[in-house]
Amino acid sequence: MKRLALSFMALLLMATPVLAADIFPDLELKGGISADAAAYLGVSGSQIKVSSIQADYLFVEIYSMYCPICQRDAPRVNTLFQEVAAAGRDNVKFIGVAAGNTNFEVNFYRKKFSVLFPLFEDENFSCHKAVGGVGTPSFYLVDLKAGRQILFFQEGAIKDEAAMLKMILDTTAP
């Protein structure tokens, strides 16, 4: 039994999708975003990379339009976005990356769930592969001013929205 438990733990460690260096990849974000979304992220032009986003911290949701957990969590992520903004944390930006979704699917998801933060398509899974093929939804809090250091990672549904909000606010406090 002990050997089985150790084997299982070793397998879990090997399957950890967070990069060994705990640095979030400098994803090339694709898809058209509105002028308001570009202004929110402080970016211009058609090529947007994570490193070009003007913020101290970046909250990233990796999701899919076809993921029922993502759909169920969408209102919770919207609430997190609104609560962080209401707390005056202009140094924290939110984005979503739609694993395997086209621009049409991203726009459908944005409209259906009234998503207020920028969403990017990832039709060919290039971003999804770069983050290690994590499950959807997955959430990252990235310190952009520290070279995209990953401060928080969670794979799966938001179990405690209040705890996640507290983590974001505590971690990003000036």
Side-chain angles (χ1 to χ4, degrees):
M1 186 65 164
K2 186 176 179 180
R3 174 180 262 170
L4 181 62
L6 288 173
S7 297
F8 181 72
M9 291 298 290
L11 184 62
L12 280 177
L13 290 173
M14 290 177 9
T16 301
V18 175
L19 302 175
D22 292 332
I23 300 297
F24 194 79
D26 195 14
L27 304 176
E28 183 177 334
L29 303 168
K30 297 180 180 172
I33 61 171
S34 69
D36 288 343
Y40 166 75
L41 296 174
V43 297
S44 61
S46 59
Q47 278 201 315
I48 301 171
K49 296 186 92 174
V50 165
S51 62
S52 66
I53 294 173
Q54 300 300 307
D56 293 337
Y57 301 96
L58 184 64
F59 186 84
V60 182
E61 177 186 21
I62 306 292
Y63 77 98
S64 169
M65 181 183 107
Y66 299 103
C67 163
I69 298 169
C70 302
Q71 294 174 14
R72 191 178 57 227
D73 271 2
R76 292 180 179 139
V77 180
N78 284 336
T79 299
L80 286 173
F81 169 74
Q82 292 169 325
E83 292 289 328
V84 168
R89 294 295 166 80
D90 295 337
N91 61 338
V92 182
K93 303 299 182 194
F94 278 56
I95 65 168
V97 177
N101 294 162
T102 65
N103 192 42
F104 174 81
E105 292 164 326
V106 167
N107 288 326
F108 181 86
Y109 188 88
R110 177 183 298 116
K111 185 175 180 180
K112 181 172 183 176
F113 296 105
S114 303
V115 178
L116 300 174
F117 53 88
L119 301 176
F120 295 92
E121 65 188 66
D122 183 28
E123 184 175 1
N124 64 5
F125 292 96
S126 62
C127 293
H128 187 249
K129 289 175 188 168
V131 295
V134 294
T136 58
S138 286
F139 305 95
Y140 294 87
L141 182 62
V142 178
D143 187 340
L144 294 176
K145 63 185 184 334
R148 301 184 321 277
Q149 181 182 9
I150 297 171
L151 302 174
F152 171 82
F153 170 74
Q154 176 182 316
E155 188 174 39
I158 297 173
K159 293 181 174 62
D160 187 341
E161 185 180 319
M164 186 173 275
L165 176 62
K166 183 176 181 340
M167 179 280 301
I168 294 170
L169 295 178
D170 289 350
T171 303
T172 63

